[in-house]
Amino acid sequence: MAYGAAFHRSLRALADPGPPFTYSEENRARFDQIVTRYPPDRRRSAVLPALYLVQDQQGSITGNAMQYVAELVGITAADVEDVTSYYTMFYTKPVGRFVLSVCRTLSCALNGAEQVTGAICETLGISPGETDPTGTFTLVEVECLGACDRAPVVMVNDGWQECLKPGDVGRLLEDLRGKGEAALTGCHHVVEARQK
Ligand code: FES
């Protein structure tokens, strides 16, 4: 029995291709430096920092950018898409200036994460996965952020807000608009390590 080529051919389409993508000169230099950390036959291990550079450069990771990264690190574009879709810190669509990632795992769930998410939704008029009309805030729900003793925890871009109560949400959003990430409490593991 002969198996036709169609059996093996993937009909999978990559994410929205977006415009053609290449790193800026600066990011290409950063990538070339990063890749030296890995053995030559493990170049594929640089896929995460390679994707962060894409995201820093254009805000989200398009299909053309996945193809570009795939060629740089020597894997398929589908492999890159698998990595991109697995990790919640990578975005395949444009996001707001602040990405609010509310932890919904056990400690945070037991300490009111759902109510925090609800307060954000109500204040901004959006649902999880959406960006507010001003393009300032995107709300996502994520799994454990590793600071369970300060639940509920919200990661805001690369910053942290711990022990957030639903009643604090309005003020936090206003402070973020006014002060940016300086409004955040910071991850206590980092804050306490600095104080020693
Ligand atoms: S359960 Fe939310 S940080 Fe661990």
Side-chain angles (χ1 to χ4, degrees):
M1 179 175 163
Y3 292 98
F7 180 80
H8 297 287
R9 191 172 64 229
S10 170
L11 299 177
R12 175 176 171 175
L14 278 180
D16 177 9
F21 181 87
T22 56
Y23 280 149
S24 63
E25 212 172 296
E26 187 184 19
N27 279 338
R28 179 59 203 235
R30 281 190 192 142
F31 173 79
D32 289 342
Q33 198 279 326
I34 286 167
V35 86
T36 62
R37 299 175 195 161
Y38 304 96
D41 64 339
R42 293 285 184 274
R43 194 175 167 90
R44 61 172 48 205
S45 301
V47 64
L48 293 181
L51 288 171
Y52 271 122
L53 289 176
V54 171
Q55 196 157 273
D56 284 349
Q57 184 170 313
Q58 66 170 15
S60 61
I61 300 170
T62 53
N64 281 334
M66 291 178 199
Q67 185 69 50
Y68 177 81
V69 167
E71 287 164 18
L72 275 183
V73 304
I75 57 180
T76 68
D79 290 333
V80 176
E81 187 173 48
D82 285 344
V83 172
T84 306
S85 61
Y86 179 80
Y87 291 104
T88 53
M89 70 275 198
F90 293 131
Y91 317 125
T92 53
K93 293 180 189 158
V95 292
R97 184 172 149 222
F98 300 107
V99 178
L100 309 167
S101 301
V102 183
C103 173
R104 63 180 180 188
T105 309
L106 189 59
S107 293
C108 290
L110 291 174
N111 283 282
E114 198 176 333
Q115 288 73 24
V116 168
T117 299
I120 295 172
C121 291
E122 194 175 321
T123 306
L124 297 176
I126 60 173
S127 299
E130 293 180 349
T131 298
D132 79 308
T134 68
T136 308
F137 297 104
T138 297
L139 173 63
V140 292
E141 292 178 291
V142 300
E143 304 307 331
C144 183
L145 292 166
C148 321
D149 55 325
R150 303 291 170 98
V153 179
V154 180
M155 194 165 81
V156 182
N157 296 349
D158 295 329
W160 290 74
Q161 185 71 23
E162 300 177 338
C163 304
L164 185 64
K165 301 297 174 203
D168 300 332
V169 163
R171 198 183 62 200
L172 173 66
L173 298 181
E174 278 314 305
D175 284 351
L176 282 167
R177 281 194 181 97
K179 303 180 199 164
E181 290 179 37
L184 302 172
T185 54
C187 175
H188 68 285
H189 297 301
V190 176
V191 172
E192 287 162 8
R194 275 199 212 112
Q195 289 165 349
K196 281 180 188 162

